[in-house]
Amino acid sequence: MAGLGVALIGTGFMGKCHAMAWRNVATVFGGAPARLEMLCDTPKDRAAALASRFGFARSSEDWQTVVQDPSVDVVSITTPNALHRRMAEAALRAGKHVWLEKPMALTLADAEAMAALAARHPAQVTMLGYNYLRSPAFQAAAKMIAEGTIGRPHAFRGVYDEDYSADPTLPWTWRMTKAEGGLGALGDLGCHLVSQMVTLMGPVAEVTALTQVTVPERLSPDGPRAVENEDSAFALVRFVSGALGSFATSRVAQGRKCRLQWEVQGSDGTMVFDQESMNELLIHRRGEAGFTRHLTGPEQPDFAAFCPAPGHNFGFNEQKVVECRDLIAAIGGAPSRGPDFAQGLAIERVIHAMATSDGQPVCIRETAHEDA
């Protein structure tokens, strides 16, 4: 059986990550190797050079041509946020499956329209790039919590901090505008934390949040430019289950590189995870004196496919290979492990509610409007 024909649009950090996943997924998990058909970027010379380097057969600087190409079955989209809706919708209308990096869209209205369109194309599989959900430690944690290892979860405390914008002398970029970047720390980082939060705790009923712009103005080639979206956000959360939570995210947290950290407190114990130590879980059970450290190993989901030896660490790019495997399986008819566009819309509703709360409670609604 021939492998899927793949197109990649965008070749930055996550574009390279997608390319590695497509090249490695058959090696790790078996099955037919993907056919790397087309790579798209600008200018044309860059696209051609990276197509050769990444192993794609052809290149183009015209993404519309790429999504229409008959050799392409699935389109990986790793472009800046403002292009997500146009490209994803064009790919769906062309009959392609879509693997789209987060955030889903610039605005909640865009995300609602994308989810509505995907619902009208049920033969096409959609997946959003929430690869942190695929780490063996997180998968093990989700399973244990669902099975009652720490009893009934009643409290969640989560934070996702990085410092890539912490230096106030760093120049202004498109990421700091609503027209090109959409949300700030919430769209770049906080959505990852929400994806893990709802996986562990169930859907969100209500949020009360505040946001902050720490560096209100940055220098650009044209002079000072305003920072239009949030550098940090803080929220209190009420889940549909009745459990409560706290949430914080920042792109200006000095010294923090990838502090995606959460704690779930339950009636019979507590579980702790930190992405900067992504190969371990800390678990406390009622009656124990403290926490037990659990290292990743082949007994945890998907670890053994990469390495048979316990304690030999998993990594960021390996998570993407697992995500790619799940996408291929869903295209082949297996149940989707998501997040698809419908599940992604639920994440978008939470982060956009946080962005607009301004200290007032916001209920999370569940119905999407129809795409015009």
Side-chain angles (χ1 to χ4, degrees):
M1 178 180 175
L4 293 167
V6 176
L8 171 64
I9 309 177
T11 58
F13 171 27
M14 294 311 299
K16 184 177 181 180
C17 190
H18 275 236
M20 287 191 288
W22 282 117
R23 293 192 63 160
N24 290 322
V25 64
T27 300
V28 177
F29 291 110
R35 295 179 288 106
L36 305 186
E37 293 287 350
M38 296 193 74
L39 179 144
C40 183
D41 206 338
T42 57
K44 180 168 58 177
D45 290 348
R46 172 180 170 82
L50 288 173
S52 176
R53 177 177 163 186
F54 290 180
F56 282 77
R58 292 170 290 148
S59 65
S60 174
E61 60 180 352
D62 180 4
W63 68 265
Q64 292 169 317
T65 298
V66 169
V67 300
Q68 294 291 336
D69 191 279
S71 71
V72 171
D73 301 307
V74 56
V75 182
S76 280
I77 302 171
T78 67
T79 56
N81 305 344
L83 298 171
H84 284 189
R85 179 180 176 182
R86 277 192 294 161
M87 291 180 173
E89 289 187 342
L92 285 171
R93 290 187 174 111
K96 314 300 185 186
H97 308 289
V98 177
W99 190 10
L100 175 66
E101 274 307 306
K102 43 59 62 186
M104 188 170 169
L106 287 177
T107 68
L108 182 56
D110 283 347
E112 288 176 335
M114 292 163 69
L117 180 63
R120 293 199 296 275
H121 289 76
Q124 274 68 65
V125 172
T126 60
M127 180 173 284
L128 290 161
Y130 286 100
N131 53 297
Y132 293 126
L133 297 174
R134 264 64 185 193
S135 80
F138 180 80
Q139 291 187 65
K143 184 174 186 290
M144 285 189 284
I145 289 173
E147 292 174 345
T149 297
I150 59 170
R152 180 182 60 82
H154 58 71
F156 175 91
R157 295 179 181 176
V159 59
Y160 191 176
D161 289 342
E162 293 194 11
D163 68 354
Y164 60 85
S165 294
D167 182 351
T169 68
L170 288 173
W172 175 93
T173 75
W174 61 266
R175 289 185 179 277
M176 297 168 181
T177 69
K178 292 181 179 179
E180 296 292 323
L183 298 180
L186 283 166
D188 215 19
L189 305 175
C191 59
H192 275 300
L193 179 57
V194 172
S195 76
Q196 296 204 341
M197 181 174 75
V198 298
T199 299
L200 299 174
M201 302 294 293
V204 173
E206 182 181 271
V207 300
T208 304
L210 292 170
T211 62
Q212 182 179 54
V213 179
T214 307
V215 184
E217 198 173 73
R218 292 182 184 265
L219 287 178
S220 77
D222 300 319
R225 294 282 300 269
V227 174
E228 299 174 1
N229 50 29
E230 74 287 344
D231 286 324
S232 58
F234 306 85
L236 298 177
V237 179
R238 181 169 59 82
F239 298 94
V240 170
S241 68
L244 299 179
S246 64
F247 171 102
T249 187
S250 175
R251 64 187 180 189
V252 293
Q254 293 281 356
R256 294 298 186 181
K257 304 306 177 187
C258 188
R259 187 195 177 197
L260 175 53
Q261 185 181 73
W262 52 258
E263 175 176 304
V264 176
Q265 300 171 354
S267 56
D268 295 320
T270 298
M271 191 174 296
V272 180
F273 173 79
D274 187 341
Q275 181 67 25
E276 289 184 354
S277 301
M278 65 173 287
N279 285 281
E280 63 181 58
L281 288 171
L282 297 178
I283 302 175
H284 168 81
R285 295 175 176 86
R286 183 165 47 164
E288 296 177 344
F291 285 82
T292 302
R293 178 171 174 252
H294 295 256
L295 290 178
T296 53
E299 74 281 2
Q300 291 184 330
D302 296 319
F303 187 100
F306 293 86
C307 179
H312 289 58
N313 289 351
F314 211 75
F316 179 88
N317 289 306
E318 282 85 348
Q319 294 173 138
K320 210 67 179 177
V321 178
V322 178
E323 189 174 82
C324 187
R325 186 276 313 273
D326 291 344
L327 172 63
I328 293 169
I331 292 171
S336 172
R337 297 186 64 190
D340 60 14
F341 280 9
Q343 294 162 319
L345 175 57
I347 296 171
E348 294 286 325
R349 286 199 173 110
V350 174
I351 60 174
H352 282 277
M354 290 177 181
T356 58
S357 167
D358 195 25
Q360 300 301 311
V362 178
C363 293
I364 308 298
R365 64 187 183 88
E366 292 298 329
T367 57
H369 66 255
E370 288 297 316
D371 184 24

